[in-house]
Amino acid sequence: MFDEYHPELGFDLGWDFAHYGRFLDPEKVNGDVLAGYHAGKAHFPIAQHRPTRYQAKWLQLRLSAMRRRRIVHADVTPEYLQRIDYDVCAVTLQPLTHSTRAGTDWSVDRINNDGAYAPGNLMVISTRANRAKGARNYIEVAKLAHSNPRPAAGGLSCAEWARLACVMLGSERRSTLARLSRRSLLEFRKTAGWRSIFCFSKSCCFPCADLGTETICSRL
């Protein structure tokens, strides 16, 4: 396993794109990825598998990370993405869609933009929430959550920014989350209901082995 970019990672990514029959734009990848893609296409003239949406997202996530000169942790697999998936966005509370090109489509984003593409720092939210979050950190999101609730600032309402802040809090300040989790979740429950509590806990808390869903919910 590599902790930083290595040519083998690029080659493997290109090979996997060919293995699953996914198109790869040669103008948007480096030479390592392209070499793996060409080798894979020669080895697999016909795609070996039709990827599930988790496998397709896994490929896309690795490519996006590489373009940011980062890598995806080896523990982030299609199976892991399926574990953290949910049918409702924890931020907007809208049902998540797939491949509709709408703002409700599901996306995988880092909770802390400065952190790794690794378990505990990934969440499934809608593309609308993802775009609104952008490169903002927890402090910036929390400030928007306390702004005037009437206009939607930056693409999200005040309540939606507050929900996003709840999700991001654990990644920014784990000790603070342990101390404030009961109050935060009780406030969240008042506006969102139990359905969103489960959505929140699965999107944010479940991947963290040291602060699991059962621990959070037992404090309510």
Side-chain angles (χ1 to χ4, degrees):
M1 183 179 70
F2 300 101
D3 293 326
E4 57 185 24
Y5 180 77
H6 186 277
E8 185 177 330
L9 294 174
F11 186 93
D12 288 346
L13 176 58
W15 180 277
D16 287 342
F17 262 82
H19 180 256
Y20 286 106
R22 306 293 285 184
F23 172 74
L24 195 59
D25 188 344
E27 300 295 326
K28 297 182 179 180
V29 296
N30 65 30
D32 302 325
V33 178
L34 197 58
Y37 183 66
H38 288 322
K41 292 287 284 185
H43 189 79
F44 305 115
I46 300 176
Q48 300 301 293
H49 300 282
R50 182 177 181 179
T52 66
R53 63 184 176 91
Y54 301 108
Q55 290 167 334
K57 183 65 71 175
W58 174 63
L59 293 173
Q60 179 186 342
L61 192 67
R62 290 162 64 197
L63 183 60
S64 297
M66 196 165 294
R67 287 171 176 166
R68 294 179 172 87
R69 305 184 69 83
R70 292 177 176 269
I71 64 171
V72 173
H73 194 278
D75 288 341
V76 176
T77 62
E79 292 74 25
Y80 174 79
L81 296 180
Q82 185 172 5
R83 282 176 56 199
I84 65 171
D85 189 20
Y86 202 69
D87 59 353
V88 175
C89 175
V91 177
T92 66
L93 306 186
Q94 293 179 314
L96 291 170
T97 55
H98 305 93
S99 303
T100 67
R101 298 185 180 275
T104 53
D105 274 358
W106 80 310
S107 68
V108 177
D109 188 29
R110 284 176 295 167
I111 300 173
N112 183 331
N113 290 323
D114 293 327
Y117 288 84
N121 194 41
L122 293 176
M123 60 179 171
V124 172
I125 56 176
S126 68
T127 55
R128 179 169 74 88
N130 193 339
R131 285 194 296 265
K133 173 178 172 286
R136 291 184 172 94
N137 59 30
Y138 167 74
I139 298 299
E140 293 169 323
V141 169
K143 287 181 179 178
L144 287 168
H146 289 87
S147 63
N148 190 330
R150 291 183 179 179
L156 296 178
S157 68
C158 183
E160 289 170 334
W161 283 120
R163 296 185 197 109
L164 180 57
C166 283
V167 176
M168 295 177 68
L169 178 61
S171 180
E172 290 286 334
R173 300 176 181 178
R174 186 64 55 81
S175 60
T176 304
L177 176 61
R179 187 172 67 253
L180 299 180
S181 59
R182 182 176 185 274
R183 186 181 70 182
S184 298
L185 288 176
L186 283 174
E187 292 175 353
F188 188 44
R189 185 180 65 180
K190 290 178 183 178
T191 58
W194 278 105
R195 182 186 185 196
S196 298
I197 288 292
F198 290 123
C199 180
F200 163 79
S201 62
K202 186 170 183 180
S203 296
C204 177
C205 302
F206 179 73
C208 304
D210 60 332
L211 198 59
T213 303
E214 295 82 1
T215 302
I216 291 292
C217 290
S218 67
R219 296 175 182 170
L220 293 176

